[in-house]
Amino acid sequence: GRTEDAAQAYAAMLRAEPGNPEIAARLSAVLARSPEQLKAWLESTQPATDGAKEDSGDVPLRALLLETAGRHAEALRLLRESTASHPDRGDVALSLALRLEGNDREMKEWLDKAVALDPSSPWPHLHKGLFLLKSGDGSGARREAEAAKAIAPRLPEAFQLAGSAARVEADYRAGVEQLSQALLLDPSDSLGVSRVQLALAYAGEKNGPASRQALEGDLPPFSDLIYRLAWAFVDRNFLDRTARGASWQPMRDAFADPNAKPAQAYAAVAASLASLGDPYTRLRSATETEALYVRGRLEKMVTDASGAPSPASSAVVTGDLGNDIGYLRLTTFSDPSAREAIRKALEQMAEKQGLVLDLRGNLGGLAAEADAVAGMLLEEGETLGVQRTGTGEEVQKIPQTRPAFPRKPLVILTDRKTGSAAEKLAAGLQGSGRATILGETTLGKGAGQMSRLLPGGAMLLVTAVESLTPSGEAIQGRGVVPDVPAEGDESLEKAREILEKPPTPAPPTP
């Protein structure tokens, strides 16, 4: 309950390590729970009005406070003015870079400046590496991770970035080695990121037992810690801020028995989540997580009684429809080893005159995997969609990436079981004018979840974002409406007709 002391402690740490994202997130979370305290802090960091040149020391702190208060434009303006008046401050340059999400070219410029201005800090390298990783540049991310390790050889986050980048590049053995080292340096893994990435790296190696062990961790799960971590994660990230009212705050201290069994803590977490009334904010067992991401898959397409892809199906199925038309079916975005297979398949079809992307029965999975596919089909800077969070809406642009299939005719097949990340992909490609959607209206799950691995292996899923179409229309409860309606077996035939139809010639230039 000593929130002012907690905030002061985190602020002191932030001044010492202005690039540390965990410290910034914790300070923001403390102040977000107390509007009056946040208001007082904003007033105390108000720049002088006597014309004196402002000291940049607390600029990153004030920018964070403005962001916490939902005043993003003000934070951005403050940082732009401060970088002009203090061009030698790497912490201010880094703070500006981190608030330029969606403007990738400028964000990279400021990350490069932060690296140059603050050569003794590993954080600019780590943030630049994370930016490159999100852009699909795994090798660049690994270089930045190595640079961070050279500066801070025992910093867990540097090994975490190196391992995550290696995993995305399908170098699973290197991923396992780097992520294991991150856990040796930080066995508690307070955010659970290293354990999740290590589990996915083992899954890429098809090592199910090791993946399950990574999820569960090596440390004993303390029950009171399980509950408090879960409550804090929900409090920080849950999309519907109105749901965190008078009944939610007292739940922070509703469970505090360190001697209770973990099952009791998980039951208390489940009860608190149920009070929010959101079906997607829930606990997922380690067994369910393992089944989603670790299970062995066949090398072919297998369907269930309804004709939908079974969980045992290969995540990537390719084919040739004749008449220079390629076929790529993605049955799920839950296979962490599928990204490179998708890229290779698209590159092999690059000379085709058209492509059918079949998302029927794809219920989604890892949003990052679907976004990576979008990057293989769109050009840098094109709009993928709009993301709505608790602090507002942000246009999601395709980052600097390497398209794998040129801008040739593309038809996407959907049905009523196309959901979540697959819907977001379909909506983005449709709304950008890149693809024609053919089939049935999709499931209608636009709500996206952030995940947090809890001690003991359970995964906390929290609805933290809503994906909208590039034009800002809702997917949740509505689905993606096809351009050309079709059902069942007629879908492929109609797709061929669309792709074989000669393009309409452009009108003559006057």
Side-chain angles (χ1 to χ4, degrees), residues 80-116:
R80 289 193 185 282
E81 292 171 354
S82 297
T83 54
S85 57
H86 301 280
D88 59 335
R89 291 297 296 257
D91 57 342
V92 178
L94 181 59
S95 188
L96 174 58
L98 299 181
R99 281 158 183 83
L100 290 170
E101 288 282 351
N103 188 344
D104 292 318
R105 191 176 296 278
E106 189 179 7
M107 185 179 184
K108 185 176 183 303
E109 289 176 2
W110 282 105
L111 285 170
D112 287 339
K113 288 181 182 179
V115 167

Side-chain angles (χ1 to χ4, degrees), residues 120 142 162 164 168 187 200 205 231 245 301 303 366 406 416:
S120 63
R142 292 172 84 167
S164 300
V168 168
L200 294 177
E205 289 191 319
W231 185 92
M301 175 76 174
T303 58
L366 297 167
R416 286 167 289 183

